[in-house]
Amino acid sequence: MSSSNNPIDELTERPNDKFGRFLYDLAYILAILGGIILVIVILINFVSILSRIIFLNPLVGDFELVEIGSAIAISSFLPLCHLKKGNVIVDFITAKLNFKKIAFLDCISSVIYGPVSYTHLRAHETGRNLVCRLLLE
C-alpha cells in the first residue's frame, strides 16, 4: 500500500480484482510493445539517413513508416498513462471537490477517453494505406 494520504494515489495502484489486474497487465504489455515499435521507428530513421549518405538513395516510404509507427507507439502508451493518472489535467476546478465527485468525473473522462484513443488510431488511415484499419480489424 501507498504511504501517501492522498486518495488519488490509491487509484493508481495495481488493482486486486481479476479483471482490473488483466487491464493493468495489458496496459503494461501495450506500453512495452509501443517502446519496441518506437525503437523500430528509430532504426528506420537511422537506415534511411545512412542510405542517403552512403548510397544517395533514401529508404522508400520512410516518412509513412515513421508516421504510422509513431501513431501506434503513442496509442500504445496512452492506456498506461491513463491508468497511472499521468495525463495532463487542469485541476483548479476540481481541487476543492471531495473524493467521490473527483472519482465520478474520472469515470466520465474514462468513458470519453476510449473513443478518442480509437479515433487517434484511425486518423492515420488513407484511401490507399489502410495499415491502422488492418491492425484494428
Side-chain angles (χ1 to χ4, degrees):
M1 286 286 158
S2 176
S3 61
S4 175
N5 293 332
N6 189 354
I8 299 297
D9 291 338
E10 294 174 8
L11 293 175
T12 62
E13 292 179 358
R14 190 172 192 269
N16 294 327
D17 60 303
K18 209 173 209 181
F19 186 67
R21 283 194 313 265
F22 170 74
L23 289 178
Y24 201 77
D25 292 342
L26 183 64
Y28 265 101
I29 290 169
L30 283 172
I32 290 170
L33 290 175
I36 292 169
I37 291 171
L38 205 54
V39 169
I40 291 170
V41 165
I42 291 168
L43 290 174
I44 289 171
N45 275 330
F46 177 74
V47 168
S48 178
I49 292 169
L50 202 61
S51 68
R52 281 184 194 160
I53 293 171
I54 295 173
F55 304 115
L56 300 174
N57 190 14
L59 184 67
V60 177
D62 63 336
F63 290 116
E64 291 80 9
L65 290 171
V66 168
E67 178 182 317
I68 291 171
S70 298
I72 292 171
I74 290 168
S75 298
S76 299
F77 296 137
L78 288 176
L80 184 63
C81 182
H82 189 69
L83 284 176
K84 291 287 193 175
K85 305 286 183 206
N87 294 335
V88 176
I89 57 171
V90 180
D91 62 350
F92 65 89
I93 296 173
T94 61
K96 303 284 183 183
L97 295 178
N98 63 13
F99 177 70
K100 287 185 178 183
K101 291 179 182 176
I102 292 173
F104 175 73
L105 291 174
D106 282 345
C107 180
I108 290 173
S109 71
S110 295
V111 169
I112 294 170
Y113 183 77
V116 169
S117 62
Y118 178 75
T119 56
H120 177 73
L121 270 177
R122 302 289 286 222
H124 295 281
E125 182 179 300
T126 63
R128 293 178 300 155
N129 192 1
L130 301 176
V131 174
C132 290
R133 174 178 278 173
L134 293 174
L135 290 173
L136 291 172
E137 294 174 359

